[in-house]
């Protein structure tokens, strides 16, 4: 079966997201997979988007390239302009009307029209599918919407939120797969195809006996943060200052961390390097800024920490109720320190592992 996967990400990026694993698992099951990056343009170059650099590295203008290890064919088309969020609505509407192209590039459209199945995440790919669906050209195809983000919260271009609404309302999708119930409740009134399906993991990588990256450090506990979204540097700086006996490691675009002997910011590491820091850590940090009802409760990093058996430290509203979460009620120094001290007293425990599913089991439910 020919499957087109439309993602925000570039397939060859160092940082791996869920859609990378979804594409690889579909390929491992014997399907011909085409991974297409959506939302790249010359504007991305001006903004310093890392995806643009990844795309140009593989000469995006040449079309699809086969990934030797996974067998996935990937393509990162670069357009003149793509939809970007503009705070003033009438200006955004004018820009969209005059400059933004809603139709996908010709090469992308051809792959979509010849696909048996399409999997799309919360990205510009929704605008492409909405445009194509106007002529009923998507009929007969199995289409999965794997909701990766709350688009309304993220402040994206309104073309994306309108297309998302249109596609769900018109029942274009066979499945609207949501990682958390908070998101699913937004769409329940629009379609009966909405279901909750947690993120997965490729457990194999976490069971490898990786070298310990902390082995050269003194015999102290190590806390790790992985990610880029809504990082709360203020809470982390409180921890660094009040727990000098703990080493803090930050992987990703973690801005605002004060320099200290017990803190290290690594930037974005490869997937394999990141896993080493997770499986050998003592505490997983879920220190992000959140609302009371947030879709990050079962984020990929929470699943990674849980599978590795780590106690997790973060805002109380993100407590998974799996028995391994230590949540602070507010961001006062006293509360942060009290909660982190409790997490420090918790040893590694694999009891939360049974809550973590695999990417393979997820995609098998779509086929």
């Amino acid at each position: 079966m020919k499957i087109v996967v439309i993602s925000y990400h570039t397939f060859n990026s160092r940082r791996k997201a869920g859609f990378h694993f979804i594409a690889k698992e579909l390929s491992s099951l014997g399907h011909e997979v085409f991974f297409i990056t959506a939302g790249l343009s010359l504007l991305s170059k001006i903004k310093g988007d890392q995806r643009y650099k990844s795309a140009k590295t593989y000469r995006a203008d040449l079309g699809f390239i086969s990934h030797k290890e996974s067998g996935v064919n990937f393509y990162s088309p670069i357009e003149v302009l793509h939809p970007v969020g503009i705070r003033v609505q009438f200006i955004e509407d004018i820009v969209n009307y005059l400059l933004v192209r809603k139709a996908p590039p010709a090469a992308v459209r051809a792959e979509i029209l010849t696909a048996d199945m399409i999997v799309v995440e919360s990205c510009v790919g929704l605008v492409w599918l909405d445009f194509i669906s106007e002529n009923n050209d998507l009929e007969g195809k199995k289409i999965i919407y794997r909701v990766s983000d709350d688009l309304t919260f993220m402040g994206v271009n309104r073309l994306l939120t309108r297309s998302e609404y249109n596609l769900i309302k018109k029942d274009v999708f066979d499945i609207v797969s949501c990682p958390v119930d908070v998101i699913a409740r937004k769409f329940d009134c629009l379609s009966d195809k909405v279901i909750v399906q947690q993120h997965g993991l490729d457990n194999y990588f976490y069971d490898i006996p990786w070298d310990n990256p902390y082995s050269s450090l003194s015999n102290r506990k190590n806390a790790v943060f992985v990610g880029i979204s809504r990082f709360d540097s203020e809470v982390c700086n409180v921890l660094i200052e009040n727990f000098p006996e703990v080493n803090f490691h930050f992987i990703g675009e973690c801005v605002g961390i004060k320099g200290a002997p017990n803190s290290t910011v690594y930037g974005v590491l490869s997937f394999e390097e990141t896993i080493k820091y997770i499986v050998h850590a003592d505490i997983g940090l879920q220190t992000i800024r959140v609302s009371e009802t947030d879709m990050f409760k079962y984020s990929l990093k929470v699943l990674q920490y849980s599978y590795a058996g780590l106690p997790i430290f973060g805002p109380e509203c993100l407590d998974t109720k799996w028995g391994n979460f230590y949540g602070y009620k507010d961001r006062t120094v006293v509360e942060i320190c009290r909660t982190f001290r409790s997490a420090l007293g918790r040893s590694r425990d694999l009891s939360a592992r049974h809550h973590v599913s695999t990417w393979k089991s997820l995609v098998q439910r779509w086929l």
Side-chain angles (χ1 to χ4, degrees):
M1 183 162 59
K2 177 177 179 178
I3 302 177
V4 168
V5 175
I6 307 174
S7 173
Y8 168 84
H9 301 279
T10 52
F11 190 75
N12 58 309
S13 65
R14 294 186 73 197
R15 176 175 168 264
K16 300 303 180 187
F19 259 60
H20 293 100
F21 299 104
I22 286 171
K24 288 181 179 179
E25 292 296 354
L26 289 169
S27 177
S28 73
L29 292 171
H31 302 288
E32 186 180 21
V33 178
F34 293 80
F35 188 102
I36 300 173
T37 302
L40 269 180
S41 70
L42 297 179
L43 184 61
S44 306
K45 179 180 181 180
I46 296 171
K47 294 172 66 178
D49 191 331
Q50 289 295 321
R51 298 179 306 143
Y52 184 87
K53 296 178 181 178
S54 298
K56 291 304 289 183
T57 299
Y58 279 80
R59 293 290 302 282
D61 53 302
L62 295 181
F64 283 92
I65 297 171
S66 179
H67 191 270
K68 294 180 181 178
E69 293 181 8
S70 63
V72 173
N73 306 288
F74 65 95
Y75 179 40
S76 302
I78 297 174
E79 303 184 83
V80 176
L81 185 67
H82 70 278
V84 294
I86 300 175
R87 291 185 179 180
V88 183
Q89 183 170 349
F90 82 89
I91 295 178
E92 183 179 273
D93 291 339
I94 292 171
V95 172
N96 288 342
Y97 180 77
L98 296 177
L99 300 175
V100 174
R101 181 183 176 191
K102 300 177 185 177
V108 172
R109 181 186 177 94
E111 299 303 329
I112 290 174
L113 293 181
T114 55
D116 301 298
M117 177 174 164
I118 300 164
V119 183
V120 62
E121 70 169 322
S122 307
C123 66
V124 174
L126 295 170
V127 179
W128 292 348
L129 294 182
D130 191 25
F131 179 86
I132 294 174
S133 70
E134 291 177 0
N135 295 323
N136 298 320
D137 289 336
L138 295 176
E139 287 189 359
K141 304 180 187 303
K142 189 167 192 177
I143 306 178
I144 312 297
Y145 178 28
R146 174 60 178 176
V147 184
S148 55
D149 289 294
D150 184 340
L151 291 177
T152 305
F153 179 86
M154 294 183 68
V156 299
N157 189 296
R158 292 166 186 84
L159 276 179
L160 275 71
T161 52
R162 289 171 196 156
S163 293
E164 179 184 61
Y165 176 88
N166 291 341
L167 290 165
I168 296 175
K169 184 71 173 177
K170 293 187 297 186
D171 261 349
V172 171
F173 299 125
D174 293 274
I175 298 174
V176 178
S177 173
C178 303
V180 291
D181 54 4
V182 173
I183 297 298
R185 287 197 295 269
K186 285 182 55 180
F187 302 131
D188 274 341
C189 60
L190 300 178
S191 171
D192 59 1
K193 308 291 180 60
V194 180
I195 56 176
V196 177
Q197 296 178 318
Q198 271 183 212
H199 291 311
L201 285 185
D202 191 338
N203 296 352
Y204 163 78
F205 287 101
Y206 297 84
D207 293 330
I208 293 174
W210 297 102
D211 295 336
N212 187 348
Y214 308 122
S215 59
S216 62
L217 303 175
S218 57
N219 188 26
R220 306 187 332 166
K221 291 208 171 185
N222 294 283
V224 65
F225 175 91
V226 178
I228 57 174
S229 183
R230 295 196 281 178
F231 176 63
D232 194 335
S233 60
E234 292 180 21
V235 169
C236 291
N237 284 328
V238 168
L239 295 176
I240 292 167
E241 182 177 347
N242 288 275
F243 293 90
E245 73 280 12
V246 178
N247 292 322
F248 294 90
H249 307 266
F250 302 95
I251 299 172
E253 297 174 12
C254 303
V255 178
I257 291 296
K258 297 178 181 177
N262 64 328
S263 71
T264 307
V265 179
Y266 299 89
V268 178
L269 299 180
S270 68
F271 174 67
E272 291 79 7
E273 284 296 318
T274 300
I275 290 179
K276 295 178 185 180
Y277 284 92
I278 293 174
V279 299
H280 287 289
D282 299 291
I283 296 178
L285 301 178
Q286 174 70 326
T287 44
I288 60 176
R289 294 181 181 272
V290 295
S291 58
E292 283 303 311
T293 55
D294 199 273
M295 70 173 289
F296 288 80
K297 182 179 288 188
Y298 303 106
S299 68
L300 186 56
K301 75 164 73 60
V302 168
L303 301 185
Q304 292 173 321
Y305 296 160
S306 296
Y307 191 82
L310 306 183
I312 302 173
F313 171 82
E316 187 180 51
C317 62
L318 297 183
D319 189 351
T320 58
K321 307 300 182 184
W322 293 350
N324 62 336
F325 198 93
Y326 293 80
Y328 46 91
K329 296 180 174 64
D330 55 56
R331 297 168 72 247
T332 61
V333 172
V334 172
E335 175 63 10
I336 290 170
C337 292
R338 181 196 65 79
T339 307
F340 189 74
R341 197 168 289 110
S342 297
L344 275 178
R346 168 77 176 263
S347 59
R348 187 179 297 271
D349 183 355
L350 300 179
S351 60
R353 253 191 193 188
H354 72 277
H355 294 287
V356 182
S357 186
T358 64
W359 290 116
K360 178 165 285 187
S361 66
L362 174 64
V363 301
Q364 285 175 331
R365 281 175 267 172
W366 297 344
L367 297 171

